[in-house]
Amino acid sequence: MTGISHPPINGYESVGRRHRVVVIGSGFGGLSAVQSLKKADVDVTLVAKTGHHLFQPLLYQVATGILSVGEIAPSTRLVLRDQKNATVTLGDVDRIDVAARKVHATAGHIEFELEYDSLIVAAGANQSYFGNDHFEYWAPGMKTIDDALELRSRILGCFEQAEVTEDEEQRRRLLTFVVVGAGPTGVEMVGQIAELAHRTLKGIYRNIDPSSARIILLDAGSAVLSPFGQSLGNAARARLEQLGVEIQLNAMVTDVNYEGIEVQDSDGTRRRIRASCKIWSAGVQASSLGKTLADQTGAELDRAGRVLVSKDLSLPNHPEIFVIGDMMNLDNLPGVSPVAIQGGKYAAKQIVHEVEKGRSPADRPPFKYFDKGSMATVSRYSAVAKIGKVELHGFIAWVLWLVVHLAFLIGFRNRVMTLLSWGMHMGDHRSHLNSTAQWVYGRQAIAEAQRRDEPAP
């Protein structure tokens, strides 16, 4: 590990300047940290590659037409407009100079740097394809608004193409949907596709029966919702099967292409599922900024690229740098929003104590996560929830899920509009079943353009 010597983070290097805090990422952790510094005697700069705060747990509802983008992704500038000590900067951070305490970023073709006294890195995670990044071309993940809009158009596009084709084999391929990954995101996504096919789209086509769609949930593991335990996992599985979802476990994906997906079962046999729409929710990989920090500080990374942080969420020998949320690994805490939120508040609190009260980083108490439980919705009126030793499933868990997610949404208007959208969904109505070809083919067009721009070997 490198032991670079720096002035204490509560020291002012130049007279007349306030302590500078740079926060990377506008997700749950980053936004929580900025808001927790609202009354602090510091200047805060939030830099993120998007201009919105994304409520990622509801992204699948954008993908399946229940919610609009605006209801789960308010403008970060609007959220923080009344926080006078906060500046919002749109930029994609590509480099952190730990020795110089500078963050380098780009906004379009414009490059810029931000100097910091304290740094909070909350850049989140991306979809992981376990070394098979070419799978993404045919099986998008669901981490961004672009992903959700693309998936919505792919799902709806399959029904539209099936309506007009006269080739029965092609129609079966178009009406086969495969979701890879039986974690919360995969379960929520496959449940909504099933409801879309069996309820919302019922009777609106003339040549096809949407309920005839084949909907498959694949996972290389042996259980559905394995972090929730066997009882809740079995409850979720039973509900999905009632909706007509095929559950295929111990099935590892070995290839994905235009025609479908290749799977290897536990006995070693391989088979192909012909499917037009493939959706990936099988794993995550931390932001590459984790490796940037590790290379300079000697910090270790786990297999998912997360930084192994100290008990105070800082890097070894660098108390001025906090790593929180999906980028950190501390006691194998899960990559969920409550961990990120509590981490952001904790980091902000330590900065305030050291800047305003002169405390030393050595006096920081260890970060303690208060587990408020986990929950996932399976379908309308059905969810699973685990709160300590208490396990709930069905309608009660679903009501609890509604309340919790409404509480976490940013802004009164978003809560009201989301509640209205959910109310219409209960009556089989979805207000956002629009799609465009640009959403469907944007990823392929960008990939093709990048290939053309690559220098010849």
Side-chain angles (χ1 to χ4, degrees):
M1 296 184 182
T2 57
I4 299 174
S5 176
H6 284 303
I9 73 168
N10 60 328
Y12 295 101
E13 286 78 2
S14 58
V15 177
R17 175 177 64 73
R18 294 207 299 183
H19 190 91
R20 298 163 301 184
V21 181
V22 172
V23 179
I24 302 175
S26 60
F28 288 104
L31 188 62
S32 175
V34 173
Q35 292 176 320
S36 297
L37 291 167
K38 184 175 184 177
K39 297 181 180 180
D41 186 25
V42 299
D43 290 320
V44 187
T45 300
L46 173 65
V47 56
K49 59 184 177 181
T50 63
H52 55 263
H53 165 68
L54 179 61
F55 194 89
Q56 206 170 78
L58 292 179
L59 201 55
Y60 76 96
Q61 295 202 3
V62 173
T64 53
I66 299 172
L67 298 178
S68 72
V69 168
E71 288 161 7
I72 68 164
S75 164
T76 313
R77 291 187 182 277
L78 290 177
V79 173
L80 296 174
R81 63 182 171 185
D82 295 327
Q83 185 168 334
K84 301 304 180 184
N85 68 341
T87 298
V88 176
T89 303
L90 185 66
D92 189 4
V93 175
D94 54 19
R95 189 170 70 253
I96 300 172
D97 188 334
V98 172
R101 295 194 181 188
K102 291 182 179 180
V103 170
H104 182 273
T106 57
H109 64 280
I110 299 173
E111 300 183 5
F112 61 94
E113 288 186 337
L114 299 169
E115 297 182 343
Y116 66 85
D117 300 307
S118 293
L119 177 65
I120 300 176
V121 186
N126 303 310
Q127 205 72 60
S128 173
Y129 290 84
F130 308 108
N132 299 292
D133 291 346
H134 57 287
F135 288 1
E136 183 181 15
Y137 192 83
W138 301 113
M142 194 165 52
K143 288 293 181 182
T144 68
I145 288 175
D146 287 336
D147 292 339
L149 293 176
E150 176 181 356
L151 288 173
R152 184 200 295 175
S153 291
R154 285 186 178 224
I155 293 167
L156 296 175
C158 285
F159 287 105
E160 295 297 336
Q161 292 176 74
E163 170 78 353
V164 297
T165 185
E166 295 182 357
D167 184 330
E168 187 58 35
E169 186 176 342
Q170 178 75 339
R171 179 175 291 172
R172 283 196 299 270
R173 190 183 76 87
L174 287 165
L175 292 179
T176 299
F177 301 84
V178 179
V179 177
V180 181
T185 301
V187 166
E188 291 171 336
M189 189 68 191
V190 80
Q192 285 306 317
I193 295 175
E195 286 206 345
L196 194 66
H198 289 276
R199 301 179 68 97
T200 307
L201 302 182
K202 184 178 180 180
I204 70 172
Y205 292 96
R206 299 295 176 260
N207 298 321
I208 63 169
D209 176 9
S211 66
S212 68
R214 185 185 182 195
I215 303 165
I216 303 170
L217 178 63
L218 283 176
D219 197 281
S222 59
V224 174
L225 293 178
S226 56
F228 286 73
Q230 183 176 0
S231 177
L232 292 180
N234 288 340
R237 176 173 184 166
R239 177 56 185 154
L240 288 175
E241 289 176 338
Q242 287 178 357
L243 292 171
V245 176
E246 294 181 34
I247 311 292
Q248 300 185 14
L249 303 176
N250 299 306
M252 183 175 67
V253 176
T254 58
D255 192 23
V256 183
N257 59 25
Y258 171 79
E259 284 296 325
I261 192 164
E262 187 174 285
V263 177
Q264 179 175 303
D265 292 317
S266 57
D267 61 2
T269 59
R270 294 197 175 193
R271 55 192 169 88
R272 173 163 290 278
I273 302 172
R274 297 190 74 247
S276 178
C277 185
K278 289 83 66 176
I279 301 169
W280 193 274
S281 65
V284 295
Q285 182 74 22
S287 165
S288 59
L289 291 180
K291 186 177 186 305
T292 297
L293 292 171
D295 289 344
Q296 297 177 72
T297 66
E300 297 180 27
L301 300 178
D302 66 11
R303 293 178 61 185
R306 298 181 301 171
V307 181
L308 275 65
V309 296
S310 303
K311 294 295 184 181
D312 63 354
L313 308 187
S314 72
L315 297 185
N317 300 314
H318 288 276
E320 77 281 4
I321 301 177
F322 297 89
V323 179
I324 63 174
D326 291 345
M327 285 190 64
M328 76 165 190
N329 183 337
L330 177 64
D331 301 329
N332 290 315
L333 291 173
V336 294
S337 55
V339 173
I341 292 170
Q342 292 180 39
K345 291 180 178 179
Y346 169 89
K349 186 175 182 180
Q350 306 319 307
I351 292 172
V352 171
H353 284 170
E354 289 153 24
V355 170
E356 298 183 354
K357 300 181 181 179
R359 293 186 185 176
S360 167
D363 297 328
R364 293 174 183 169
F367 172 70
K368 293 183 178 179
Y369 172 58
F370 175 61
D371 188 357
K372 298 180 180 179
S374 303
M375 54 186 63
T377 181
V378 182
S379 66
R380 177 173 37 184
Y381 308 136
S382 180
V384 295
K386 186 172 185 178
I387 306 169
K389 295 182 179 181
V390 178
E391 296 184 350
L392 302 170
H393 66 86
F395 182 75
I396 295 176
W398 179 77
V399 172
L400 183 62
W401 180 90
L402 289 180
V403 172
V404 169
H405 282 71
L406 277 177
F408 273 91
L409 276 173
I410 299 292
F412 175 77
R413 181 185 179 279
N414 284 341
R415 294 190 183 104
V416 171
M417 295 304 296
T418 298
L419 190 59
L420 288 173
S421 295
W422 283 345
M424 288 187 290
H425 171 226
M426 294 174 199
D428 291 332
H429 179 74
R430 302 186 188 214
S431 301
H432 308 286
L433 293 178
N434 50 331
S435 65
T436 71
Q438 184 169 316
W439 291 347
V440 176
Y441 299 112
R443 185 188 304 267
Q444 287 93 331
I446 291 171
E448 189 63 33
Q450 289 173 338
R451 278 197 292 270
R452 287 200 301 267
D453 291 341
E454 290 178 355

